[in-house]
Amino acid sequence: MKYYIGVDVGTGSVRSALFDSHGNLVTVATEKIKIWTPSADYYEQSSFNIWNAVIHTIKKILSDSEVKKEEIGGIGFDATCSLVVIGKNDSSITVSPSGQPECNIIMWMDHRAVNQTERINSTHHSVLKNTGGQISVEMEPPKLMWMKENLPDTWKSATHFFDLADYLTWKATGNLTRSLCSLTCKWTYQADDQGHRGWNDEFWEVIGIDDFVKEKYQRCGTDVKSPGDVCGEGLTNEAAEQLGLVPGTAVGTSIIDAHAGVLGCVGCVAENEHFAMPDITSRMTMICGTSTCHMIMSKEAIFVPGVWGPYYSPILPGLWSAEGGQTAAGKLIDFIVETHPAYQKLKDSASERNLHVYEVLEDRLLQLINEHKVFAMSQLTKHLHIWPDFHGNRSPLSDPALKGMVSGLTLSSEMDDLAVKYLATVQALAYGTRHIIDEMVKSGHKIELIYICGGLSKNQVYVKTHVDVTGIPAILPNEQESVLLGAAMLGASASGNFKNVQDAVKQMGGKGKLIRPDLQERQYHDKKYQVFQRMVQHQREYTAIMDG
């Protein structure tokens, strides 16, 4: 049997996993990576640090398993949409105002380029129709524009600008192939179902980066392939020696981390249930971690205001995709919980009971149902409401200036207050998901099933709340490492042992648990959702008053 390696570079760690040809996980290894924050809203990383973590984790999964390097059929990479800058002789060039040389990555969540984002959006250029009408500060053009304006020496010295996932395949193969996924979704590269592919010269000229046009895009990519296509000639001798693998081992063209989660989910079917699986274009995937991405595919281009896309073939060939999202999801939950006065008490309780803090909070919420004599946990937040955009709104309002809001605070600082605030935060994120879904459906998408994967899929309160709030059934894949599985599918596709990516998805997709919504809670959530929508209206009214 052949085995496949998936490598996922997330916000704070590198994870590598080994899967067999049926999609069964053999082993996984994790290595933390560094984040530098030289100023507020500045987030930086090091490609050297990340590649070393890739080496460490791949060697670890090989040593932890009985699989020989000759049995590895292929390897695939996914990563966050962070911008990597490389200079001559493969050197790292600083992107930091601090001048720290190893900091050569502007992270996806970095918001230094807000001014550049606003200026790009003021052009109302035609390429922005594929980014929900406005480009996001998280995408690469604003970051590149900031770099040219603020770090001219870095700009002139750079020989390559990579999305992080493409940097990884370059390190592995020495090949400058860029992924259609990265370029269309984050760089404004144009592709459609009529066969058109290419950069829009006018756009780059309008935003002041005519350098790319004059250079014929040599620094940002000219050889563009679909995820899972063969990248170069496989592992170079140098990379193979570093990773402990065989030279020439197949490497699949890369993919963005959230999109890898879609690959790892959409082939998954409900187990032991009389449930007719809807068409693949009616299945939304939620990749839930530090942030949350809401991914949907379609056979035709569907434009949704405030939702990124549609992009052609960034996940599966021949299908358009759209991406909604929440910039802070797990990060927001952690913030609300960890800044509460009762957090230390919660940690102590979790340690004594050998439970995760969120399991302790769920247990306390279940007790409060009886104590407050309500028929469901959701009722505990009847007069506590949260607007969750503490780090701006990605979708569907596309407004990085929005702030978080809380209505219904008291003087309580006890554990019960923490538990209810935690629940209200989870509900707020679920109402945000419903807001995204409403806009998608209004524009023409049909959503009959949600896959939930990522770290928050292990949180029962989060999962049940989202299912009840949206009224849409969900599948939790049995293989919890959906993103890593999706990355491994790229290696499987490139290996030649599967017909294509679609075949790998079908053969390796596995099964999952079906969660159905509790329709008795619908009326309550409808009322809370009305409050949710009013809150952002009020925030904008307050801003108008103060800025007037």
Side-chain angles (χ1 to χ4, degrees):
M1 179 183 288
K2 285 291 185 181
Y3 296 84
Y4 304 95
I5 293 174
V7 178
D8 166 49
V9 180
T11 299
S13 67
V14 170
R15 300 183 304 147
S16 294
L18 192 61
F19 294 89
D20 67 21
S21 58
H22 301 295
N24 298 311
L25 178 66
V26 178
T27 187
V28 63
T30 302
E31 178 87 357
K32 289 185 178 180
I33 50 180
K34 297 178 183 177
I35 298 175
W36 286 264
T37 54
S39 306
D41 291 331
Y42 282 59
Y43 296 92
E44 300 164 356
Q45 289 182 314
S46 161
S47 63
F48 178 79
N49 173 244
I50 287 173
W51 184 249
N52 279 340
V54 170
I55 293 170
H56 180 270
T57 52
I58 288 180
K59 284 186 172 180
K60 184 76 164 58
I61 60 174
L62 290 173
S63 65
D64 287 350
S65 69
E66 297 181 359
V67 176
K68 299 177 181 178
K69 62 182 180 179
E70 291 80 10
E71 296 178 281
I72 303 300
I75 180 171
F77 295 92
D78 75 74
T80 62
C81 303
S82 299
L83 176 64
V84 186
V85 183
I86 299 295
K88 291 181 180 179
N89 302 317
D90 304 343
S91 61
S92 63
I93 302 181
T94 186
V95 297
S96 180
S98 70
Q100 194 155 340
E102 62 186 313
C103 294
N104 68 322
I105 298 177
I106 301 179
M107 291 183 67
W108 66 272
M109 62 184 182
D110 185 289
H111 279 201
R112 72 183 67 186
V114 169
N115 174 265
Q116 288 75 16
T117 302
E118 292 172 350
R119 285 153 54 198
I120 291 173
N121 287 329
S122 71
T123 69
H124 303 292
H125 197 279
S126 62
V127 300
L128 302 182
K129 69 180 182 180
N130 290 104
T131 59
Q134 296 189 77
I135 204 160
S136 168
V137 68
E138 297 174 20
M139 295 180 180
E140 310 305 5
K143 293 180 171 68
L144 291 162
M145 194 173 167
W146 180 93
M147 193 185 308
K148 183 177 180 181
E149 293 174 354
N150 293 276
L151 297 175
D153 290 341
T154 291
W155 182 260
K156 293 174 184 176
S157 301
T159 56
H160 301 296
F161 298 107
F162 289 105
D163 227 62
L164 180 51
D166 291 334
Y167 164 80
L168 297 171
T169 56
W170 172 66
K171 284 292 288 183
T173 67
N175 190 278
L176 289 170
T177 293
R178 301 305 206 276
S179 170
L180 183 65
C181 180
S182 299
L183 292 196
T184 56
C185 297
K186 306 301 174 183
W187 293 70
T188 73
Y189 185 85
Q190 303 288 285
D192 61 29
D193 52 5
Q194 303 303 309
H196 171 259
R197 285 192 180 191
W199 297 100
N200 187 304
D201 293 351
E202 183 189 61
F203 170 72
W204 294 102
E205 290 169 346
V206 165
I207 69 170
I209 307 184
D210 55 348
D211 315 48
F212 282 179
V213 181
K214 295 173 182 176
E215 299 161 2
K216 297 183 179 179
Y217 302 98
Q218 290 299 315
R219 290 198 285 175
C220 58
T222 56
D223 181 17
V224 184
K225 293 185 177 180
S226 296
D229 284 355
V230 176
C231 187
E233 297 180 1
L235 291 179
T236 62
N237 291 336
E238 180 183 3
E241 183 177 356
Q242 290 176 329
L243 301 172
L245 296 170
V246 176
T249 298
V251 176
T253 298
S254 69
I255 198 167
I256 298 167
D257 54 354
H259 298 64
V262 177
L263 282 182
C265 284
V266 293
C268 179
V269 299
E271 62 180 4
N272 304 323
E273 288 275 357
H274 298 293
F275 180 75
M277 293 293 293
D279 186 81
I280 196 170
T281 58
S282 296
R283 309 176 199 173
M284 186 179 83
T285 303
M286 287 179 57
I287 301 91
C288 315
T290 304
S291 61
T292 293
C293 295
H294 303 76
M295 313 287 296
I296 185 78
M297 293 185 286
S298 59
K299 293 173 183 174
E300 313 230 338
I302 300 175
F303 293 87
V304 185
V307 170
W308 298 343
Y311 307 114
Y312 186 65
S313 298
I315 303 173
L316 291 176
L319 292 178
W320 297 82
S321 78
E323 177 184 355
Q326 294 165 318
T327 305
K331 188 176 181 67
L332 175 63
I333 297 172
D334 290 344
F335 174 79
I336 294 294
V337 171
E338 292 172 8
T339 57
H340 194 279
Y343 179 56
Q344 186 58 51
K345 185 176 180 181
L346 171 65
K347 284 201 336 183
D348 293 343
S349 177
S351 177
E352 290 171 6
R353 299 167 62 185
N354 196 27
L355 294 172
H356 193 283
V357 290
Y358 295 125
E359 292 176 305
V360 176
L361 289 173
E362 180 184 6
D363 185 51
R364 184 57 193 144
L365 287 168
L366 290 171
Q367 294 171 13
L368 289 174
I369 294 173
N370 293 326
E371 292 178 20
H372 288 260
K373 298 179 180 178
V374 294
F375 79 86
M377 183 187 294
S378 60
Q379 306 270 314
L380 294 169
T381 63
K382 185 175 182 180
H383 298 298
L384 178 62
H385 310 283
I386 294 178
W387 178 264
D389 291 329
F390 284 50
H391 197 54
N393 182 282
R394 182 190 296 174
S395 303
L397 301 178
S398 191
D399 186 350
L402 283 176
K403 304 294 189 292
M405 301 173 70
V406 183
S407 173
L409 293 174
T410 71
L411 291 174
S412 175
S413 60
E414 298 302 316
M415 178 86 82
D416 289 357
D417 181 74
L418 170 53
V420 174
K421 280 194 177 73
Y422 159 69
L423 176 60
T425 304
V426 171
Q427 289 175 339
L429 292 169
Y431 300 135
T433 291
R434 179 171 168 180
H435 194 189
I436 292 168
I437 290 174
D438 284 353
E439 293 303 313
M440 286 180 168
V441 171
K442 190 187 301 181
S443 297
H445 284 287
K446 187 177 182 181
I447 302 175
E448 299 178 286
L449 176 68
I450 300 174
Y451 291 106
I452 302 179
C453 70
L456 288 174
S457 67
K458 301 167 188 175
N459 184 320
Q460 293 184 47
V461 173
Y462 181 89
V463 171
K464 183 182 187 312
T465 300
H466 275 74
V467 172
D468 290 343
V469 165
T470 62
I472 301 172
I475 286 180
L476 298 179
N478 291 340
E479 179 45 68
Q480 295 184 349
E481 300 293 356
S482 300
V483 174
L484 282 165
L485 175 59
M489 288 173 175
L490 302 178
S493 173
S495 72
N497 297 325
F498 294 81
K499 296 176 184 177
N500 47 37
V501 173
Q502 299 95 310
D503 186 37
V505 166
K506 183 178 179 180
Q507 299 298 326
M508 300 173 74
K511 295 183 178 182
K513 180 182 178 182
L514 182 71
I515 312 292
R516 296 180 185 272
D518 184 348
L519 300 181
Q520 291 184 352
E521 295 203 42
R522 184 71 182 186
Q523 186 177 10
Y524 174 80
H525 285 303
D526 284 347
K527 290 181 180 179
K528 289 267 296 184
Y529 186 51
Q530 288 181 46
V531 175
F532 177 84
Q533 292 176 307
R534 292 271 184 91
M535 290 182 83
V536 71
Q537 294 174 19
H538 292 166
Q539 180 174 160
R540 286 175 164 167
E541 289 173 12
Y542 305 156
T543 301
I545 291 170
M546 297 307 297
D547 291 347

